[in-house]
């Protein structure tokens, strides 16, 4: 049957989720999809749920006459206060797996019978979807943020009872209403009495009349709340007025000669001052209890304040009381009747205890515990538990392998860069409290004991953008790590626009970083004076790379535009059957190919050998055929890994709003986020699991802007979603208006929105009133030196430091005006102190910057120079040349003599082959 890819699917037939015992294959993209279907009885489950949750999106039912009635899509978001509803939200994860959240909503005037039925039906729906779902109890006016995010911008409950029969729908007869809006990202809308006494200075109010909608903003309300209230105004205008009514904004305290203000107060019988009230006090999080747990419907306390996972029996249900939330945990082996009893007992407990109606009730099935639930248990395993589909995929793979089928995982997709990777690269190494610019030939050769700054300049939307990385070696000392961030901030502040800043640890480099560098060589040891001093103080042997000594390199990467050579310990246990290695033994070398490595790995191995040392003639060895010389060089044969580490499944991203309170980071998740949630006054954090982005709005406070890296670091420490985030996860700092494509790809992005004029309220008001969007010109910063020349040397965009072509083909359409400005001189490469942002000019003999539009068409007017003057090491070196194109200055005759080919034939070769020839002739 050949290679197979597993696809788990569920089908319903005759009240059962049936099992297809046979293999059903579908050809596609060179692979076969194997459908293996699990089995679960649906007897006793409402027939309305038999096909529920099969597609992404919202499904809503209402309880009417003790029956479930589907709510048509045009009526989604309309909730009657006398009814109860069941809401299912299904989303498609990156893996193609469907994830479900179930909510049951209880109106303020709902009957107890309907409320109980909604709770029972939520459990039935959970069973129909396979028990791995979470159910939330929603009470009118106190809904969860997740629930409200389904119905942006808001829900406005309607008085009365839902009716599905034609002619019996509740009348939507128009009447004046006064609404209060609370919330800066998700809005809680509540109707209040139409009276002057309902108004206050702290909230935002909407007065909806037949001809005009008034927005009244209390003087103590926030800009974000006012902006979100405008979304509600737009919603009311579109849905109740068919988009045809006037809108007026009233600002608390400003009542001078404005006709809209007079009209507003006349509706309340005339203006009278409102009583003064204090601004909202700083909201403090309620102290959460350690949690009390009870068993089944009897609610028997466990009698202990210390909770651990072992207390939870898979045959029982438990209730965890945390004051602000009640969790009902249901073991896998419990029946639906036991679960209903437990939910009823929990609801009765809330009523009997006189608890606030705002207390959340959340039902969880064993295996799908939320991070909030797990946080109350002292001994809950820290390792992230595999999801249901991971477990199922593993079990199904085992079954197929046992039956003789060769089952493999889907191949990893090659990373596709989202920015132009043929721009300008500059690199500095932290050298004590100074920066040392790396020469071009060594810009992508790092040491694990050092820290580096990488500046990358690339074209985007007709302008130059800057991307800075602070790369922290695994063995680097803390002083260098602190300084490299400080230096990066200083250099970033000197650039023309707000650059993207990133902190990257060795071994956790993001794919975008590797695509920019194309090849990355990491040597052991370091050159930093602080690193050397640390080794001396600790009495540790300095293992810094020496080309004359034994060294072992692990080769990895995805393509010639992204490959790495990482020096590892020179012992047999460092090997892995899934990789290729280069073993340097002084003047000679071995290449070792693991049995599980691919032909692509072998190609990368050959390329890196040529780049590391073109004079090597390595002895090629396949795993299992090693010589004694090979093992002796590694200190003898030993056991090593023979399996590749499986890449952890990456969840969908999560967006959080960030703030500091008493020195602690506070985060609030924004569910079902969109670009509009990036409010210009805020700092937000996008958790993409493999990297974290801290987004700073243009109008956020200067104090918050200074702490953006701290936000990212503290977020990693908190690990709010309990997803096992590493403290070495890359952190990006992104500024509004300069979002890179590898950030905007997580949104449906409209670049014009990030360029609108004014704060979030002013922007939305202009759109609401039909005014054209005013686009701000980018804020230009004062600069001490032109971009690309602020520190160190400038490198052209056509040739990469290690000799690889940055784009793989001649680049057109990208020019750097600053290179033109300095086309007859270059900056020298002294040791640059971090406080110095300008560099001194060197002699014209170090000129670079000739722009080669097409390498195969060399300017005939170029000076012709002899080979002996063009060599890298020459007694009489040529001056005033482009050192990246030494061969171009040879005469045609001498070029043919040295290269054994014409110039046209040479420039038709791949860049890596060109560089191999140049290296052998000492021209690179």
């Amino acid at each position: 049957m050949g290679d197979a890819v597993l696809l788990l699917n569920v089908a319903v037939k005759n009240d059962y989720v049936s099992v297809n015992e046979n293999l059903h294959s579908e050809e596609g993209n060179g692979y076969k999809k194997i459908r293996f279907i699990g089995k679960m009885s649906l007897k006793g489950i409402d027939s309305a749920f038999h096909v529920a949750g099969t597609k992404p999106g919202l499904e809503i039912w209402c309880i009417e006459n003790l029956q479930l009635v589907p709510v048509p899509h045009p009526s989604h978001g309309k909730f009657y206060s006398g009814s109860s509803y069941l809401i299912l939200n299904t989303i498609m994860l990156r893996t193609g797996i469907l994830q479900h959240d179930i909510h049951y909503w209880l109106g303020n005037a709902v009957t107890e019978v309907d409320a109980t039925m909604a709770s029972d039906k939520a459990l039935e729906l959970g069973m129909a979807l396979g028990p791995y779902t979470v159910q939330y109890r929603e009470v009118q006016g106190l809904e969860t943020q997740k629930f409200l995010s389904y119905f942006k911008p808001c829900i406005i409950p309607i008085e009365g009872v839902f009716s599905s029969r034609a002619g019996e729908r509740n009348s939507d007869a128009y009447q004046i209403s006064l609404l209060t809006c609370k919330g800066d990202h998700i809005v809680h809308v509540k109707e209040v009495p139409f009276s002057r006494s309902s108004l206050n200075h702290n909230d935002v109010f909407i007065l909806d009349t037949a001809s005009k909608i008034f927005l009244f903003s209390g003087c103590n309300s926030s800009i974000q709340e006012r902006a979100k209230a405008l979304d509600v105004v737009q919603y009311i205008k579109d849905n109740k007025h068919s988009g045809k009514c006037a809108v007026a904004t009233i600002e608390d305290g400003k009542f001078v000669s404005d006709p809209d203000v007079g009209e507003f107060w006349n509706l309340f019988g005339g203006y009278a001052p409102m009583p003064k009230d204090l601004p909202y006090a700083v909201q403090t999080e309620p102290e959460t209890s350690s949690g009390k747990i009870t068993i089944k419907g009897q609610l028997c306390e466990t009698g202990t304040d210390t909770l651990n996972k072992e207390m939870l029996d898979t045959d029982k249900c438990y209730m965890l009381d945390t004051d602000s939330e009640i969790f009902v945990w249901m073991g896998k082996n419990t029946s639906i009747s036991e679960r209903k009893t437990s939910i009823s007992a929990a609801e009765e407990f809330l009523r009997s205890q006189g608890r606030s109606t705002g207390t959340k009730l959340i039902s969880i099935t064993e295996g799908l515990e939320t991070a909030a639930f797990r946080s109350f248990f002292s001994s809950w395993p820290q390792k992230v538990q595999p999801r249901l589909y991971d477990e199922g995929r593993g079990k199904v793979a085992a079954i197929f392998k046992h039956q003789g089928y060769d089952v493999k995982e889907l191949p990893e997709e090659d990373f596709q860069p989202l920015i132009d990777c043929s721009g300008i690269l500059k690199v500095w190494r932290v050298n004590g409290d100074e920066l040392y610019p790396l020469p071009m030939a060594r810009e992508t050769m790092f040491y694990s004991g050092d820290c580096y700054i990488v500046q990358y300049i690339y074209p985007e939307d007709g302008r130059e953008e800057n991307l800075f990385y602070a790369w922290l070696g695994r063995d680097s000392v803390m002083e260098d790590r602190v300084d490299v961030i400080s230096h990066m901030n200083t250099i970033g502040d000197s650039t023309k626009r707000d650059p993207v800043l990133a902190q990257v640890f060795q071994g956790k480099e993001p794919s975008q970083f590797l695509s920019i560098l194309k090849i990355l060589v990491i040597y052991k040891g370091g050159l930093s004076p602080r690193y050397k001093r640390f080794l001396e103080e600790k009495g540790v042997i300095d293992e810094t790379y020496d080309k004359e000594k034994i060294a072992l390199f692990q080769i990895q990467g995805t393509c010639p535009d992204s490959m790495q050579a990482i020096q590892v310990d020179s012992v047999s246990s460092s090997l892995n059957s899934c990789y290729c290695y280069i073993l340097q033994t002084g003047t000679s070398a071995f290449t070792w190919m693991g049995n599980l490595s691919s032909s692509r790995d072998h190609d990368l191995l050959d390329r890196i050998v040529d780049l590391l040392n073109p004079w090597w003639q390595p002895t090629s060895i396949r795993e299992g055929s090693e010589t004694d010389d090979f093992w002796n060089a590694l200190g003898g044969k030993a056991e090593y890994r023979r399996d590749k580490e499986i890449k952890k499944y990456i969840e969908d991203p999560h967006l959080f709003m960030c703030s500091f309170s008493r020195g602690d980071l506070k985060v609030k998740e924004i569910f079902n986020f969109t670009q509009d949630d990036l409010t210009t006054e805020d700092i937000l954090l996008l958790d993409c699991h493999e990297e974290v982005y801290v987004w700073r709005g243009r109008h956020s406070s200067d104090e918050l802007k200074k702490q953006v890296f701290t936000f990212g670091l503290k977020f990693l420490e908190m690990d709010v979603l309990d997803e096992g985030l590493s403290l070495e996860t890359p952190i990006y700092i992104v500024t509004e208006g300069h979002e890179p494509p590898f950030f905007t790809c997580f949104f449906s992005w409209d670049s014009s929105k990030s360029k609108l004029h004014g704060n979030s309220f002013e922007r939305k008001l202009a759109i609401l009133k039909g005014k054209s969007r005013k686009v701000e010109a980018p804020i230009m910063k004062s600069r001490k030196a032109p971009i690309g020349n602020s520190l160190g040397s400038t490198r052209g965009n056509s040739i990469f430091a290690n000799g690889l072509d940055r784009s793989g083909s001649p680049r057109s359409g990208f020019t750097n005006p600053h290179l033109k400005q300095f086309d007859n001189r270059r900056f020298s490469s002294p040791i640059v102190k971090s406080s110095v942002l300008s560099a001194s000019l060197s002699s014209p003999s170090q000129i670079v910057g000739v722009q080669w539009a097409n390498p195969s068409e060399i300017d005939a007017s170029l000076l012709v120079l002899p080979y002996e003057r063009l060599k890298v090491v020459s007694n009489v070196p040529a001056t005033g040349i482009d050192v990246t194109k030494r061969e171009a200055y040879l005469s045609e005759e001498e070029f043919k003599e040295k290269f054994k080919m014409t110039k046209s034939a040479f420039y038709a070769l791949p860049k890596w082959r060109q560089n191999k020839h140049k290296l052998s002739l000492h021209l690179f």
Side-chain angles (χ1 to χ4, degrees), residues 757-821:
H757 178 74
N759 60 38
S760 54
F761 177 77
E762 292 166 341
R763 296 177 186 183
K764 290 190 175 180
L765 183 61
I767 296 172
L768 181 65
K769 292 195 172 183
K771 296 180 180 179
S772 60
R773 297 183 176 186
K774 295 182 179 179
V775 178
E776 289 183 330
I779 300 173
M780 303 294 288
K781 293 186 176 182
S782 61
R783 299 163 56 226
K784 298 184 179 181
I787 193 168
N789 293 285
S790 60
L791 282 171
S793 62
T794 300
R795 193 183 72 197
N797 65 320
S798 60
I799 298 296
F800 189 67
N802 53 31
L804 291 176
D805 181 80
R806 296 197 59 76
S807 63
S809 60
R811 177 75 200 286
S812 62
F814 174 63
T815 58
N816 187 335
H818 306 296
L819 289 179
K820 293 179 181 179
Q821 179 182 355

Side-chain angles (χ1 to χ4, degrees), residues 386-621:
R387 299 288 187 179
L388 174 63
Y389 48 81
D390 290 328
E391 293 177 348
R393 187 165 60 180
K395 291 175 182 177
V396 173
I399 292 172
F400 281 124
K401 286 182 179 179
H402 181 70
Q403 295 177 354
Y405 297 107
D406 183 15
V407 179
K408 295 183 179 180
E409 294 290 336
L410 277 168
E412 292 185 10
E413 293 184 4
D414 288 341
F415 172 77
Q416 297 298 321
L418 294 173
I419 63 174
D420 190 319
C421 289
S422 59
I424 301 170
L425 184 74
K426 294 184 294 180
V427 183
W428 299 268
R429 174 173 56 81
V430 172
N431 194 58
D433 59 352
E434 302 170 331
L435 288 179
Y436 175 79
L438 296 191
M440 294 171 59
R442 298 191 63 84
E443 278 184 326
T444 62
M445 297 180 180
F446 295 173
Y447 287 88
S448 62
D450 293 338
C451 294
Y452 298 81
I453 294 174
V454 175
Q455 180 183 11
Y456 181 63
I457 306 169
Y458 64 98
E460 184 68 31
D461 292 335
R463 64 186 183 187
E464 287 181 346
E465 293 290 0
N466 275 267
L467 172 56
F468 286 90
Y469 288 98
W471 187 90
L472 283 61
R474 180 175 291 123
D475 302 320
S476 59
V477 297
M478 184 56 68
E479 297 98 316
D480 284 347
R481 294 184 178 189
V482 172
D483 277 354
V484 75
I485 299 297
S486 176
H487 289 317
M488 180 176 65
N489 286 331
T490 301
I491 301 173
D493 287 342
S494 73
T495 58
K496 180 168 59 175
R497 296 185 177 91
D498 291 304
V500 176
L501 308 178
Q503 173 185 285
V504 173
F505 281 88
Q506 178 186 343
K508 293 286 185 179
E509 296 90 353
S511 299
Q512 188 66 65
F513 176 82
L514 298 175
S515 294
I516 289 170
L517 267 60
K518 296 192 182 298
I519 180 171
L520 173 63
V521 180
I522 302 178
Y523 297 112
K524 295 189 69 174
L527 305 178
S528 163
R530 289 168 174 162
Y531 173 76
K532 297 291 188 183
R533 185 168 62 248
F534 172 80
L535 295 182
E536 185 178 348
E537 291 173 353
K538 297 295 182 180
V540 178
I541 298 175
D542 189 349
E543 296 183 321
T544 299
Y545 172 76
D546 185 336
K547 64 181 179 180
E548 302 299 329
K549 295 181 179 179
I550 294 176
L552 181 65
F553 293 88
Q554 178 177 300
I555 309 306
Q556 57 194 49
T558 56
C559 64
D561 284 339
S562 178
M563 51 187 182
Q564 303 90 50
I566 316 298
Q567 186 180 358
V568 296
D569 292 337
S570 302
V571 293
S572 302
S573 57
S574 296
L575 299 174
N576 188 314
S577 300
C578 293
Y579 294 99
C580 294
Y581 292 81
I582 298 172
L583 176 59
Q584 167 193 307
T585 59
T587 57
S588 62
F590 294 92
T591 57
W592 185 88
M593 294 172 284
N595 286 336
L596 300 180
S597 60
S598 65
S599 58
R600 181 174 66 179
D601 297 328
H602 304 162
D603 182 49
L604 296 181
L605 177 65
D606 293 338
R607 290 171 180 266
I608 291 180
V609 166
D610 288 339
L611 290 168
L612 286 179
N613 192 329
W615 296 280
W616 274 343
Q617 296 295 325
T619 302
S620 181
I621 297 175

